[in-house]
Amino acid sequence: MILTVTLNTALDITYRVRELHPHGSHRVSEVTERPGGKGLNVARVLAALGHEVTVTGFTGGATGRVVQEQLTDTPGVLDALVPVSGATRRTIAVVDDRTGDTTQLNEPGPTVTSAEWSAFQEAYEGLLGDGVSAVALCGSLPPGVPVGAYAGLIRTARTAGVPVLLDTSGEPLRRGVAARPDLVKPNAEELAELTGSHDPLRATQDARRRGARAVVASLGARGLLAATPEGTWHATPPARVHGNPTGAGDSAVAALLSGWVERLPWPDRLARAVALSAATVLAPVAGEFDRAAYEKLVGRVAVTGDAGAAWVRP
């Protein structure tokens, strides 16, 4: 079983409009709602790939109840969310049908008290003892949660002997990397902020020196760059895809986790991650992917090793 942690869970709401105009009034053609936050998106994709997943994090208020009600309808996903007195946040994605671009509005999340944070830590430690094969720590921290929260959760997982993937940004990422996670999955901007380098190859290697055992950097349309103890690889999609990119990075995390627990070689993990990311862009909402597109793309992803010699800087 895989455990995903989403401390700042959300109800993801996606609006589709014919064409988005700033300051204008819009008629919405379609509305979808899904349990959200990065770890919940990861969990849904993992379940679709055939893995059993437990989700934990915080939930509260009327929005939190909607999230939990919808989770009960997701096969393969077990709800272990911890209640808080505040209300779960909402995230709003507005998709422009004309251009395919998405505008994102993210609420900050509920303020978590010290007692609620302590209750979560106790619950998390208990979940790690239930046959967990890997844990993913995903997304932003809600107000009130210590900035070093992920570092502490990484150390707890390491003590329990559970491999851990970290997908966050800013100071939580910097402190988390120093706690020596097995894998971090930043995007190019997050990686540059962490290391101070805008050279992806140099930055991934620097992130490893800072403590991460392996680093997989998302480079958008240019695919994924991975620096691992077994080598360095660059995986690129066969063609650029257009659609809603929300959740594409979460699908990459799900692919990397599934490849990890299935003990796939790194090139196969990366090919799966790139194909799933692209297939998610082609799906209407985060946490879903176009299965036919995924199956078509996965065999066409180019993965080259020794990126130190082959990497072409933009």
Side-chain angles (χ1 to χ4, degrees):
M1 186 266 289
I2 298 172
L3 176 66
T4 71
V5 175
T6 314
L7 295 178
N8 212 1
T9 55
L11 180 65
D12 285 344
I13 303 171
T14 302
Y15 294 139
R16 302 193 73 93
V17 298
R18 182 175 180 181
E19 187 173 355
L20 184 63
H21 296 283
H23 316 297
S25 178
H26 299 78
R27 186 176 298 277
V28 176
S29 61
E30 182 181 350
V31 181
T32 56
E33 290 185 349
R34 294 289 188 278
K38 295 179 72 65
L40 269 65
N41 293 336
V42 170
R44 236 180 355 259
V45 175
L46 282 169
L49 293 173
H51 292 274
E52 292 186 356
V53 192
T54 295
V55 297
T56 191
F58 293 115
T59 183
T63 305
R65 287 193 292 274
V66 173
V67 167
Q68 292 187 283
E69 288 168 2
Q70 294 194 11
L71 281 175
T72 62
D73 298 327
T74 307
V77 176
L78 177 65
D79 174 7
L81 294 170
V82 176
V84 293
S85 57
T88 296
R89 66 187 179 130
R90 296 161 298 179
T91 65
I92 312 295
V94 183
V95 181
D96 184 323
D97 284 335
R98 184 182 66 85
T99 64
D101 293 336
T102 301
T103 299
Q104 193 80 19
L105 303 172
N106 297 327
E107 296 179 358
T111 298
V112 176
T113 67
S114 58
E116 289 167 342
W117 174 236
S118 295
F120 172 81
Q121 290 175 286
E122 183 177 348
Y124 171 76
E125 188 170 356
L127 288 168
L128 290 174
D130 291 341
V132 174
S133 55
V135 59
L137 307 175
C138 303
S140 62
L141 301 178
V145 172
V147 70
Y150 283 138
L153 298 180
I154 290 166
R155 287 190 287 267
T156 301
R158 288 176 60 85
T159 299
V162 178
V164 57
L165 180 153
L166 177 63
D167 182 15
T168 188
S169 60
E171 186 65 12
L173 175 60
R174 188 185 70 81
R175 297 199 187 193
V177 166
R180 305 185 66 81
D182 294 274
L183 175 62
V184 295
K185 208 290 296 172
N187 61 33
E189 290 182 2
E190 293 162 349
L191 186 62
E193 183 181 2
L194 172 68
T195 65
S197 174
H198 291 274
D199 179 319
L201 181 58
R202 182 178 300 169
T204 53
Q205 293 169 339
D206 182 49
R208 288 198 65 213
R209 285 191 293 269
R210 291 168 182 258
R213 184 169 184 270
V215 180
V216 176
S218 175
L219 306 179
R222 292 180 291 135
L224 297 173
L225 180 66
T228 80
E230 290 80 21
T232 305
W233 289 272
H234 180 208
T236 55
R240 181 185 290 269
V241 296
H242 299 279
N244 181 3
T246 307
D250 303 332
S251 289
V253 169
L256 294 169
L257 279 171
S258 65
W260 186 294
V261 299
E262 294 170 29
R263 301 183 183 279
L264 296 180
W266 271 105
D268 291 341
R269 299 183 205 181
L270 297 170
R272 178 181 290 183
V274 168
L276 264 180
S277 295
T280 298
V281 172
L282 297 173
V285 294
E288 295 184 0
F289 62 93
D290 185 319
R291 187 173 292 273
Y294 164 67
E295 293 174 352
K296 180 179 179 180
L297 288 166
V298 69
R300 299 171 56 205
V301 175
V303 183
T304 56
D306 296 324
W311 181 248
V312 179
R313 294 174 179 83

